[in-house]
Amino acid sequence: MELHQLRAFTQVVEDGSFREAAETLHLTQAAISHSIKSLEGRVGVTLLNRGRTGVSLTEAGEVLLPYAKRVVETIDAASEDLASLHGAGTLKLATFASASNHYLPAVLQEFHSRFPRIRLDIKEGNDLDTLEWLRTGEVDVAFVVGHPHNVQFQPLYDDDFVLVARRDQMPGVAENAVPIEMMADQRVIAATGGCEKVVSAALSVANTSVVYSAVVREPSTALALVQAGVGITILPRLLVPTLPRTLVCLDIIPRISRQISIAVRRGERRSHAVASFMGLVGQMRGIHGQE
């Protein structure tokens, strides 16, 4: 059995399809298919059931999978350790928009300056995605929100939430802040990805009910709907760009905030790349988009 065959096999199982595995490994789908067929020919049994809805493991595939994973992970760890002797390696990092835009650039600039031989593999999603990727081993380090369980995290900064509305929707607001009670019975555009849990909890504490007129994933979509008059939205400040004059960004009283942290898996030996990155972040904790 060849390493590339085992890597293709484990990646197809993880991604659920030949196409997605090919994208992950930066290979053609034909190359992945050939590796799987060669592996099945080598072991003399079918490892994967192919179907219109994806792939699934056969009984033989279930037996081989843990061994294949162990081989791939061991070889990757050995390669990483050997590379670290020369200051090289790969760091798989998960991040979300506010961290990418406001915190990460300065950190990565310094990291690249100090460790030019470490390659960065950055995966972007929302804060629910980053935590899931860390827990499943798809990344080594992740930006996360709050105090997640079963990971080791280091708090970095707080990201306050703000209310964004059309000016003509808030005619009675003279200051740059609005009491949370003023949102009562307002039509709210909710942004998913973890933000809605923080906002809902704050509204519940304030005994304030709102009407959700839309639920979207992207903050840019929420802002476009606000501009169209569909409702107001509540977003982390670091996700709000420079707004047109027709929109207003208001602080919320009392403050609604989320804590941004950097996290690694608990109890796992850290590679040179991970240890170097976490050490640098610890030194640069004062750098973030709110300063």
Side-chain angles (χ1 to χ4, degrees):
M1 288 179 275
E2 301 290 337
L3 177 61
H4 72 90
Q5 296 170 347
L6 296 175
R7 189 182 300 280
F9 171 61
T10 58
Q11 198 65 55
V12 168
V13 174
E14 180 176 325
D15 290 341
S17 77
F18 283 67
R19 179 183 59 80
E20 292 187 20
E23 292 177 359
T24 300
L25 295 176
H26 306 291
L27 297 170
T28 65
Q29 189 169 331
I32 295 293
S33 181
H34 178 73
S35 292
I36 298 298
K37 287 180 180 178
S38 297
L39 179 59
E40 289 176 327
R42 175 67 179 81
V43 298
V45 291
T46 300
L47 299 171
L48 295 171
N49 296 311
R50 286 82 159 168
R52 292 183 178 179
T53 58
V55 298
S56 61
L57 287 165
T58 64
E59 184 178 1
E62 294 276 7
V63 171
L64 178 62
L65 182 61
Y67 295 101
K69 282 184 173 180
R70 199 173 307 144
V71 169
V72 172
E73 290 169 358
T74 300
I75 294 298
D76 286 348
S79 299
E80 184 72 28
D81 286 348
L82 288 171
S84 70
L85 295 176
H86 307 285
T90 300
L91 177 69
K92 296 180 180 180
L93 173 67
T95 182
F96 41 80
S98 61
S100 298
N101 294 339
H102 297 272
Y103 182 88
L104 201 54
V107 174
L108 292 188
Q109 182 183 41
E110 183 64 23
F111 185 75
H112 180 69
S113 174
R114 295 191 192 185
F115 309 102
R117 292 177 60 82
I118 295 178
R119 184 175 70 87
L120 293 166
D121 185 355
I122 299 175
K123 193 167 184 175
E124 296 178 281
N126 60 43
D127 54 285
L128 300 180
D129 294 330
T130 60
L131 181 58
E132 178 66 17
W133 294 334
L134 179 65
R135 285 175 169 163
T136 59
E138 293 183 54
V139 298
D140 307 311
V141 181
F143 284 90
V144 298
V145 171
H147 305 83
H149 299 294
N150 302 322
V151 298
Q152 184 176 342
F153 63 90
Q154 178 176 315
L156 297 176
Y157 60 91
D158 290 336
D159 188 8
D160 290 349
F161 283 75
V162 293
L163 182 147
V164 181
R166 284 191 3 177
R167 290 185 183 274
D168 57 11
Q169 289 178 299
M170 293 287 170
V173 178
E175 305 296 331
N176 292 324
V178 58
I180 195 170
E181 292 81 7
M182 284 193 65
M183 300 179 203
D185 301 320
Q186 289 275 356
R187 292 180 302 161
V188 174
I189 301 156
T192 61
C195 293
E196 76 278 10
K197 293 183 179 180
V198 178
V199 173
S200 294
L203 291 171
S204 178
V205 169
N207 197 27
T208 300
S209 61
V210 298
V211 178
Y212 288 102
S213 58
V215 178
V216 301
R217 178 182 173 92
E218 298 298 330
S220 57
T221 305
L223 293 173
L225 293 179
V226 172
Q227 178 74 18
V230 175
I232 65 173
T233 193
I234 304 169
L235 296 172
R237 184 186 300 278
L238 295 181
L239 286 178
V240 179
T242 301
L243 297 173
R245 293 180 60 83
T246 52
L247 300 183
V248 61
C249 179
L250 303 169
D251 292 331
I252 300 170
I253 304 172
R255 177 187 182 214
I256 304 175
S257 184
R258 62 177 187 169
Q259 184 184 76
I260 309 299
S261 301
I262 193 76
V264 295
R265 285 180 292 280
R266 188 182 299 277
E268 188 171 283
R269 186 181 68 87
R270 298 184 185 181
S271 68
H272 166 66
V274 171
S276 299
F277 184 80
M278 294 299 289
L280 176 62
V281 167
Q283 297 172 24
M284 299 181 67
R285 285 181 63 182
I287 298 176
H288 58 77
Q290 293 173 302
E291 290 190 334

